[in-house]
Amino acid sequence: MTINVYTEQTPNPATMKFMVNKLLINGSEDFATKESAEHSPFAKELFKFNFVSGVFFASNFVTITKTDDAEWADIEAILKEFVKGAVESELKIKEATAEEAPAFEGTETEIKIQQILHDYVRPAVEQDGGAITYKSFDEGVVTVELRGSCSGCPSSTITLKSGIQNLLQRMVPEVTEVVSEAL
């Protein structure tokens, strides 16, 4: 199979989404620092580039965050070629672990919130090169964690309040607010 790689800009100007025509991972993996990539051969290799400051994998893409002093015009082709070679050589994203379907836990309301985030919000957030993780529900407030290109993105607050909060309030009347936990 020929591996094709194409890039998409994300709402976060410091990140770019590198899409491939192959499933890379079920779920997602976030490596916000070089140290966190210890058990990911793929991410560890990406961090060897001095202009890479974050790596996030989901389904068929890797979102790469660059350092402030790097310009996409200078590094995009290099990273595209690297991603292509890494996928072709089947460089592992993480050490082998058992994959399982998402297990939603908590009260009936918490499970409903998690299901909505998984079914409706996650695919939309992944389109922009990011991921969302449910953290908690307490006294009407849903706390989530935004990763990948969503972490530090200028438009993530709008997404959180206008998109996710409105959706959850319509579908789960107990929800009064959605907040993002800082990383």
Side-chain angles (χ1 to χ4, degrees):
M1 173 182 189
T2 302
I3 298 298
N4 296 313
V5 180
Y6 66 94
T7 57
E8 285 183 4
Q9 291 183 330
T10 71
N12 183 346
T15 67
M16 187 163 298
K17 190 173 169 184
F18 292 77
M19 307 281 299
V20 297
N21 58 330
K22 178 181 179 180
L23 181 67
L24 298 175
I25 186 172
N26 286 318
S28 64
E29 288 290 326
D30 190 23
F31 303 100
T33 64
K34 189 176 201 168
E35 295 73 31
S36 67
E38 184 61 34
H39 299 291
S40 170
F42 198 142
K44 199 186 304 188
E45 288 300 312
L46 278 167
F47 275 111
K48 287 183 179 177
F49 292 105
N50 64 355
F51 48 77
V52 171
S53 67
V55 178
F56 173 78
F57 296 95
S59 58
N60 68 330
F61 66 87
V62 54
T63 299
I64 300 173
T65 304
K66 68 174 186 65
T67 56
D68 291 338
D69 60 344
E71 295 297 328
W72 285 117
D74 299 328
I75 64 174
E76 182 179 349
I78 295 166
L79 289 170
K80 218 169 150 177
E81 195 58 38
F82 174 82
V83 169
K84 179 178 172 43
V87 173
E88 286 174 343
S89 66
E90 298 185 6
L91 192 57
K92 293 195 181 311
I93 290 172
K94 63 179 182 173
E95 303 298 334
T97 59
E99 287 293 328
E100 56 185 62
F104 304 130
E105 298 177 349
T107 66
E108 190 176 318
T109 301
E110 290 173 307
I111 290 170
K112 188 172 182 180
I113 292 166
Q114 292 170 65
Q115 189 72 54
I116 292 166
L117 289 172
H118 183 269
D119 294 347
Y120 297 98
V121 178
R122 181 187 54 83
V125 171
E126 283 182 358
Q127 286 282 75
D128 286 337
I132 186 167
T133 305
Y134 169 83
K135 290 302 199 184
S136 65
F137 176 68
D138 186 38
E139 296 182 16
V141 178
V142 176
T143 302
V144 297
E145 178 183 85
L146 296 172
R147 299 187 327 253
S149 69
C150 296
S151 177
C153 173
S155 62
S156 65
T157 302
I158 295 165
T159 300
L160 200 63
K161 297 299 179 183
S162 298
I164 300 165
Q165 182 171 295
N166 287 346
L167 174 71
L168 284 173
Q169 286 175 327
R170 277 196 318 272
M171 297 178 85
V172 185
E174 298 89 342
V175 173
T176 58
E177 185 180 15
V178 177
V179 297
S180 178
E181 185 178 84
L183 290 178

